[in-house]
């Protein structure tokens, strides 16, 4: 669970002022002083009230896996840390710098969707509603939009990290909460993510009591696992470069690995791999890190130094970091790219949690005005 910095108490006055501002803003929306706009199609919002690390993108992908076989789907995303501005309708040719690493990852897996990147969610929704009826989405998935309240979702899914429950956290900058924990009562559904495979019943009940949700709210528990299919064994890696010439690789305890990431909570990423391989070096940056040419040059030099003593060394990164690094391949040698792999992950929904699927499909089918506020 969350550890506290000895300096966090010094930040408490700032957290109090921040909370006051957030509370006044939410009150303005509740009283109608700031307008929320509803739309005549279902909008399923997947987000959190904390900064990073809840597994949002895998859960958005999970929602899409349920919806895309049944509906014409659009995704709205802010495109965090992209270098472009304004509204962009994402195309396969767009880079992570154009649309953000997470939207690029989502579009690569679900090319049939309409993906619109815009910090102004209302403008993005107006664009979607202006499309011809044959192209207009039947369901919209809003990626990380719980604080973007000018668009009113018809169904809100809030993610909470199992290792950082709301009761263990504080408002920014003392903690990592973007809103007070009571914001959970705006949600239709709360998912505790990254849970152990075998979550004890007593621990589950403790979390249920801790969250104390309303009777009409739904609570689910999910995990994260390495993605696999018939062709890819558990803990196998995918090439970040040209998959036609670069084979997949199954990890082994003898494989030497240099870990590279720009994510929230890199410690968990590293710890999850220690039993699969031999980690001989690591470099971790902040979440959604934009790699500079100097950083790429330094990374390649470190890799070359380590290769001298570990000839089979590979660079292992996360899927969203792979999106950025491949786009920056001009700053990296072909040898580096040929040794660059990522571990795809997906949401693990235990059988006892399969009611989650039904709730998502009901939300996609229901008329917005009939959904619980």
């Amino acid at each position: 669970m969350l550890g506290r910095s000895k300096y966090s108490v010094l930040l408490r006055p700032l957290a109090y002022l921040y909370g006051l501002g957030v509370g006044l803003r939410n009150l303005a929306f509740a009283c109608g002083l700031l307008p929320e706009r509803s739309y005549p199609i279902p909008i399923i919002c997947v987000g959190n009230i904390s900064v990073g690390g809840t597994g949002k993108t895998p859960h958005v992908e999970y929602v899409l896996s349920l919806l895309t076989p049944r509906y014409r789907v659009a995704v709205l995303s802010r495109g965090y840390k992209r270098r472009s501005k304004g509204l962009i309708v994402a195309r396969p040719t767009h880079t992570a710098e154009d649309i953000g690493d997470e939207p690029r990852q989502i579009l690569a897996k679900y090319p049939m969707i309409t993906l619109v990147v815009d910090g102004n969610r209302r403008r993005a929704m107006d664009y979607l509603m202006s499309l011809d009826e044959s192209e207009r989405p039947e369901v919209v998935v809003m990626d990380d939009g719980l604080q973007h309240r000018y668009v009113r979702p018809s169904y809100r899914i809030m993610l909470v990290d199992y290792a950082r429950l709301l009761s263990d956290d504080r408002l920014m900058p003392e903690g990592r909460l973007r809103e007070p924990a009571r914001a959970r009562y705006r949600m239709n559904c709360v998912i505790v993510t990254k849970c152990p495979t075998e979550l004890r019943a007593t621990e589950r009940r403790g979390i249920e009591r801790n969250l104390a949700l309303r009777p009409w709210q739904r609570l689910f528990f999910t995990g994260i696992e390495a993605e696999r299919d018939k062709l890819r064994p558990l803990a196998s890696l995918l090439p970040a470069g040209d998959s036609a010439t670069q084979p997949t690789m199954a990890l082994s305890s003898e494989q030497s690995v240099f870990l590279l990431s720009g994510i929230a909570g890199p410690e968990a990423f590293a710890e999850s791999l220690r039993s699969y391989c031999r980690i001989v070096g690591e470099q971790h940056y902040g979440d959604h890190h934009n790699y500079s040419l100097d950083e790429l040059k330094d990374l390649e030099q470190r890799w070359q130094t380590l290769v001298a003593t570990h000839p089979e060394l590979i660079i292992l990164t996360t899927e969203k970091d792979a999106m950025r690094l491949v786009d920056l391949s001009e700053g990296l040698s072909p040898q580096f790219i040929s040794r660059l792999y990522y571990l795809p992950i997906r949401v693990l929904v235990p059988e006892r949690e399969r009611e989650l699927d039904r709730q998502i499909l009901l939300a996609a089918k229901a008329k917005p005005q009939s959904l619980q506020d």
Side-chain angles (χ1 to χ4, degrees):
M1 298 299 177
L2 176 65
R4 296 224 184 278
S5 165
K6 63 181 180 180
Y7 301 111
S8 64
V9 68
L10 301 177
L11 298 173
R12 195 159 297 167
L14 294 177
Y16 174 80
L17 293 175
Y18 173 82
L20 183 62
V22 170
L24 289 173
R25 180 177 184 268
N26 284 335
L27 180 63
F29 277 108
C31 296
L33 297 176
L34 292 177
E36 281 186 301
R37 183 182 297 175
S38 297
Y39 291 84
I41 58 175
I43 302 174
I44 300 174
C45 181
V46 182
N48 53 44
I49 62 169
S50 60
V51 179
T54 58
K56 178 178 57 62
T57 300
H59 281 80
V60 169
E61 292 174 353
Y62 183 77
V63 171
L64 292 176
S65 73
L66 295 172
L67 299 183
T68 51
R70 298 170 172 87
Y71 299 100
R72 194 162 52 246
V73 182
V75 171
L76 299 187
S77 176
R78 173 187 173 189
Y80 184 62
K81 283 204 172 181
R82 63 183 172 122
R83 296 188 185 276
S84 59
K85 301 291 185 183
L87 185 150
I88 294 180
V89 181
R91 301 283 183 256
T93 53
H94 282 131
T95 67
E97 290 197 344
D98 295 329
I99 61 175
D101 49 14
E102 291 172 347
R104 190 180 187 280
Q105 175 181 323
I106 291 168
L107 189 63
K109 291 183 178 180
Y110 296 93
M112 74 291 291
I113 66 173
T114 301
L115 196 155
V116 180
V117 174
D118 195 351
N120 186 329
R121 307 302 173 90
R122 183 179 291 181
R123 179 170 60 192
M125 278 302 304
D126 289 345
Y127 165 78
L128 290 174
M129 298 307 296
S130 72
L131 294 175
D132 184 84
E133 190 174 350
S134 62
E135 299 179 347
R136 193 180 308 149
E138 297 167 303
V139 185
V140 173
V141 178
M142 190 155 64
D143 176 10
D144 196 22
L146 293 180
Q147 283 77 48
H148 297 270
R149 297 191 59 184
Y150 290 98
V151 170
R152 181 181 178 86
S154 52
Y155 195 82
R156 301 176 181 90
I157 300 174
M158 186 179 83
L159 308 178
V160 177
D161 188 344
Y162 165 82
R164 197 181 187 104
L165 298 175
L166 299 182
S167 59
D168 298 323
D169 214 338
R170 295 290 184 272
L171 281 172
M172 296 169 55
E174 182 185 0
R176 297 178 65 180
L177 291 182
R178 295 186 281 188
E179 292 190 68
R182 63 178 175 272
R184 66 189 183 276
Y185 295 121
R186 293 204 315 270
M187 310 304 156
N188 301 86
C189 169
V190 175
I191 302 176
V192 181
T193 68
K194 302 183 182 179
C195 295
T197 305
E198 297 298 329
L199 184 64
R200 296 190 302 273
T202 54
E203 190 171 11
R204 180 188 176 105
R205 287 194 296 269
I207 294 173
E208 290 173 348
R209 287 194 298 270
N210 184 285
L211 286 170
L213 298 179
R214 307 301 190 210
W216 54 267
Q217 293 180 291
R218 299 298 185 121
L219 176 62
F220 298 98
F221 298 81
T222 63
I224 297 289
E225 67 173 358
E227 187 174 311
R228 61 189 187 275
D229 57 30
K230 293 179 181 178
L231 301 178
R232 297 203 296 266
L234 179 64
S236 68
L237 310 179
L238 296 183
D242 186 356
S243 59
T245 59
Q246 209 174 332
T248 60
M249 174 181 290
L251 275 180
S252 72
S253 58
E254 303 302 315
Q255 177 65 57
S256 298
V257 168
F258 180 88
L259 287 187
L260 173 61
S261 74
I263 57 173
E267 302 83 5
F269 172 60
E271 190 59 35
S272 67
L273 291 164
R274 294 195 191 283
S275 60
Y276 289 107
C277 59
R278 184 168 45 149
I279 300 173
V280 299
E282 300 181 45
Q283 180 63 59
H284 303 292
Y285 298 95
D287 201 15
H288 300 277
H289 182 69
N290 285 314
Y291 295 89
S292 69
L293 290 178
D294 286 341
E295 287 170 341
L296 295 179
K297 186 182 299 184
D298 178 64
L299 286 170
E300 182 143 1
Q301 287 176 348
R302 290 180 62 185
W303 170 70
Q304 289 174 345
T305 300
L306 288 168
V307 164
T309 53
H310 302 87
E312 301 304 316
L313 181 69
I314 63 168
I315 306 99
L316 179 54
T317 190
T318 68
E319 191 167 2
K320 71 177 182 178
D321 282 300
M323 299 295 110
R324 290 187 177 277
L325 290 165
V326 170
D327 289 341
L328 297 170
S329 58
E330 291 183 1
L332 296 166
S333 70
Q335 292 79 15
F336 187 96
I337 292 293
S338 70
R339 298 284 190 97
L340 182 61
Y341 287 83
Y342 68 89
L343 179 67
I345 60 173
R346 66 180 180 184
V347 172
L348 173 63
V349 182
E351 283 302 317
R352 65 178 179 273
E353 303 294 327
R354 282 297 172 182
E355 173 64 15
L356 173 61
D357 296 8
R358 194 178 79 89
Q359 290 298 314
I360 292 170
L361 292 175
L362 283 175
K365 185 168 60 175
K367 294 181 179 179
Q369 60 266 29
S370 69
L371 292 171
Q372 172 71 51
D373 287 342

